Amino acid sequence: MPPVGDGPIEEWIAAIKGEMGDDWDRMMLGVALSSANPWHYRIRALELMQLYGPPLSTDLLVKLARSENEQIRAKAADVMGSHSDATTRDSLITLLDDSDRAVRRKACEALV
């Protein structure tokens, strides 16, 4: 996949992804899914996946929407707004009852 932008950061990330080959996908998924990682690392992995792959699957987003961490649940809800299907819709409806107001707001926004 070509770089998203034409700046040095995008070129650097594209070069790293190229060097890593198939390991890129495995590592990005591992960082995003591991609750041992700080929430901001996990969100950064999701953002990199949105831009450079691997594609965010419905299964991954639904799994992240069940995370113990509210920032991860909010990010999953946010991304689900761009990955609309019956499964993500059901997950977003469930998130409307989340204990965290930011998660509920992201779920509302994604449903709209």
Side-chain angles (χ1 to χ4, degrees), residues 35-54:
S35 60
N37 289 322
W39 66 267
H40 51 93
Y41 285 15
R42 297 174 70 194
I43 288 176
R44 181 59 56 146
L46 291 171
E47 291 168 345
L48 288 169
M49 290 168 67
Q50 283 182 282
L51 295 171
Y52 298 98

Side-chain angles (χ1 to χ4, degrees), residues 29-69:
L29 284 168
V31 171
L33 286 169
S34 177
S35 60
N37 289 322
W39 66 267
H40 51 93
Y41 285 15
R42 297 174 70 194
I43 288 176
R44 181 59 56 146
L46 291 171
E47 291 168 345
L48 288 169
M49 290 168 67
Q50 283 182 282
L51 295 171
Y52 298 98
L56 297 170
S57 69
T58 297
D59 290 340
L60 173 66
L61 295 173
V62 169
K63 188 173 199 170
L64 293 172
R66 296 183 190 128
S67 173
E68 290 183 17
N69 183 280

